[in-house]
Amino acid sequence: AKGIKILQENEIPHYILPESMSKAYSRAYNFKCSLEIKHSEIEEFEDIKVNEANSLLEQFEREGKAFLTEDETVKILDLFGLPIVESVIAKNEDEAVKMADKFGYPIAMKIVSKDIVHKFDVKGVALNIKSGREVKESFQRMMKNVSELEPTAEIKGILIQKMIEQGQEIILGLKNDPIFGSVIMFGLGGTFVEVFRDVSFRIAPIDRLSIEEMMKEIKSYKLLTGVRGKKSTDIKSIVETIQRLSL
């Protein structure tokens, strides 16, 4: 115990069993090998507006935001040339109906608040809305749900979006790791992504070949290639999206 304490105080790795030591060594060795593999060039995109995006992020930071609401996030994604769904925030029922009529039905409605991270948890999402009457009913119901479940939350409005065609959800993430720096995550999306944790990681920026390897690492990759009669996902678009996000 005294020896272990000395190792811990000096941040020196120690292992109780040789198996756990071997597993850790194997991960480190595989990482070293991956760095030595010949990769393709990091692609550059002339339409990415990095300076504008940084200025906007700095503004959000000055405002003390802990996280960005969906409408704010969309602004950043658009500056990086990432595919987004046209959307607008409605302050009341009439604005919501007007915007829904403009976009065309069906539409999606989502609560927007700096105090709410998971909209589904407060019943703040309504999908496949097909008429103005449904828009008004959903608006009233969502505002009532949020006021009951999150009474102190500051509501910015309700985001009105055109519903997109059904497809395979994916999730992408970025993290500033204290050791590796910028790290990008890929996996299948959906409401249970935090449960299954079927994701893979790479150090950003990332080249095309590394992205393809990264995608194939997740257990559910075959779902993207098409199984049981389903069409394959647009892999090329996913690769480009990851490239843009990793820059």
Side-chain angles (χ1 to χ4, degrees):
K2 290 182 179 179
I4 290 176
K5 184 180 179 182
I6 293 172
L7 295 174
Q8 290 176 332
E9 289 175 348
N10 290 276
E11 298 183 351
I12 298 174
H14 61 90
Y15 305 91
I16 297 174
L17 298 173
E19 290 85 355
S20 56
M21 181 279 295
S22 298
K23 185 177 181 181
Y25 182 82
S26 174
R27 292 288 180 88
Y29 177 74
N30 290 337
F31 175 70
K32 172 184 175 294
C33 291
S34 68
L35 295 178
E36 295 174 348
I37 296 175
K38 184 178 181 180
H39 296 291
S40 54
E41 294 292 326
I42 301 293
E43 190 164 348
E44 297 182 359
F45 299 91
E46 295 181 357
D47 59 334
I48 292 180
K49 302 172 183 177
V50 177
N51 292 334
E52 290 184 38
N54 287 336
S55 296
L56 199 53
L57 288 170
E58 288 170 2
Q59 175 190 325
F60 293 147
E61 187 176 9
R62 287 194 300 271
E63 294 172 359
K65 294 182 182 293
F67 73 94
L68 303 185
T69 54
E70 188 161 346
D71 60 305
E72 293 167 340
T73 305
V74 165
K75 292 178 182 178
I76 300 297
L77 298 180
D78 189 36
L79 291 171
F80 276 85
L82 295 168
I84 60 173
V85 180
E86 187 178 3
S87 59
V88 68
I89 294 179
K91 302 288 187 180
N92 53 55
E93 299 170 28
D94 292 335
E95 284 186 10
V97 173
K98 183 179 179 180
M99 291 300 103
D101 289 341
K102 177 184 175 182
F103 290 154
Y105 298 93
I107 64 156
M109 301 173 65
K110 305 172 185 177
I111 201 77
V112 181
S113 170
K114 65 180 180 61
D115 303 310
I116 299 173
V117 179
H118 299 292
K119 305 176 187 66
F120 275 104
D121 293 349
V122 296
K123 301 179 181 178
V125 177
L127 304 176
N128 207 32
I129 307 299
K130 297 179 180 178
S131 68
R133 178 180 59 82
E134 287 187 35
V135 171
K136 287 189 175 183
E137 291 175 352
S138 298
F139 195 103
Q140 294 170 358
R141 184 170 58 253
M142 290 166 65
M143 294 298 284
K144 182 175 182 293
N145 290 337
V146 174
S147 65
E148 291 176 351
L149 297 172
E150 287 287 347
T152 61
E154 181 182 331
I155 307 302
K156 193 174 181 180
I158 290 183
L159 196 74
I160 308 299
Q161 288 181 316
K162 174 71 177 175
M163 285 282 292
I164 60 175
E165 295 181 8
Q166 187 175 5
Q168 177 62 58
E169 289 186 66
I170 65 168
I171 183 170
L172 302 177
L174 283 172
K175 176 183 178 181
N176 188 18
D177 187 87
I179 296 176
F180 296 105
S182 296
V183 177
I184 191 164
M185 178 195 75
F186 167 80
L188 291 197
T191 54
F192 297 112
V193 65
E194 293 176 351
V195 176
F196 297 116
R197 297 183 180 276
D198 186 18
V199 295
S200 58
F201 295 87
R202 286 293 187 281
I203 296 175
I206 184 171
D207 64 282
R208 181 179 56 79
L209 292 178
S210 296
I211 291 172
E212 292 173 356
E213 294 172 3
M214 176 187 187
M215 293 173 64
K216 292 175 181 178
E217 282 182 7
I218 64 172
K219 298 181 180 67
S220 47
Y221 174 73
K222 287 186 177 180
L223 293 177
L224 298 176
T225 61
V227 293
R228 295 191 175 182
K230 290 188 177 182
K231 293 182 179 179
S232 61
T233 307
D234 187 354
I235 301 292
K236 184 178 179 181
S237 293
I238 296 176
V239 170
E240 181 177 328
T241 300
I242 296 174
Q243 285 177 311
R244 288 176 175 272
L245 187 63
S246 76
L247 295 175

